Amino acid sequence: MPALPDIKSQTREELATRFAEWKQPAYRVPQLLEWLYLHRATDWDAMTNLPKALRQKLREHFTLQTLELLRKQGARDVTQKFLWRLADHSLIESVLIPANPALYGEASDRHTLCVSTQVGCAYGCKFCASGLDGWKRNLLPHEIVEQVVAVERWHDAVEREKRRKGEEENSPDPLFPSAPASTSPQQASERLINNLVIMGMGEPLANYENLLKALRLLNAPWGGGIGARKITISTSGLAPQIRRLADEPEQFRLAVSLHGATDEVRSRIMPVNRKFPLRELSAALEDYQSRKERMITFEYILIAGVNDSLEQTRPLAALARRLKAKVNLIPYNQVQGLPWERPADEICEAFLAALEKQKVIATLRREKGHEIDAACGQLRLKTERELSEGK
Ligand code: SAH
Ligand code: SF4
């Protein structure tokens, strides 16, 4: 790991303190922030309105890391998965979900990005690809922030290329190819992502400090500019950290990966349930719910023969009603090498109907073609294995 902190791990206040020490005028801070979050600069030398000496000083004290795109799956207008390589060559994934009546946002959402918070995961849920090879390390704040910035940077480049091609085709006069418009900073600063879900690789609440710092950078109007209510943190149920989150001033949304409504079923697939069984988890959620007055979402993957019996709907409905939670049912995405399967469509529909009958707000993900949407961690796992076999 590099010894220097990264510039995208710094808050505006931290930068202001540093610039004051360096006897720099205060207006240099917003100038720098614009280069980082609006123009998404990848190089200190691009920051042409900062004096050369200041750029040199920044270079000596901070890194300016960007994520290297190693692989991308999926086409335009469908879910696209990005596999990134970090500075230490670790691999992480982000998933870009196009405008749709998103499960975690509203119909008007433009794009949702799902980001990772750790390399691997220590929680070892039996159905999940992210935990298969264990936990490697926590992501630093800038590595979480940069997933958003890097996707927006990638999108800018795609749009620029599209405009360039369109202009070439539409330009009747090859002497006026109108290229400069495509590189104006105004266009480069359009924001693509306005909804964020922390549902990629890793357990976000096990990387609490770095997560919170990253989310504050992404939430700040001078940073990522994503509203707190448009940020959903998903957890496998770390009760103490849920209570801690309830103390934070921001109104982040909370999703809980439940996947079982009795300790017997849940412990079978989620080892974390032995540490924080349902009674403890639900008490923490009750605390969160009462202090935040925000609706909690329960994620419930339907796995054939494991948690899809209609008997589970009773304790699930009781819990959801008690916590005023909404339930998202998600048919399991098959993971290579794991024995679990998704139930037949009729079983998923019957499970949904049973919850609705018990007065629970529930949705069922019905879209087809989720091969690449298959939960985070799979592309990394596949690539890691290919790379190690290639050695
Ligand atoms: N660690 C956190 C966030 C990352 S996992 C958590 O567990 O909540 C994000 C979501 O993907 C979780 O609800 C997880 O249970 C789900 N998931 C993992 N593997 C899956 C699979 N193969 N099919 C469908 N959902 C899956
Ligand atoms: Fe980790 Fe979440 Fe996967 Fe469980 S579901 S192994 S907590 S990433």
Side-chain angles (χ1 to χ4, degrees), residues 118 120-132 199-204 235-236 257 259 270 272 301 376:
Q118 300 184 309
C121 183
Y123 285 81
C125 301
K126 299 276 193 286
F127 48 80
C128 176
S130 293
L132 273 183
M199 293 189 181
M201 201 192 309
E203 169 47 54
T235 177
S236 60
S257 298
H259 312 330
M270 300 183 72
V272 67
I301 326 176
C376 249

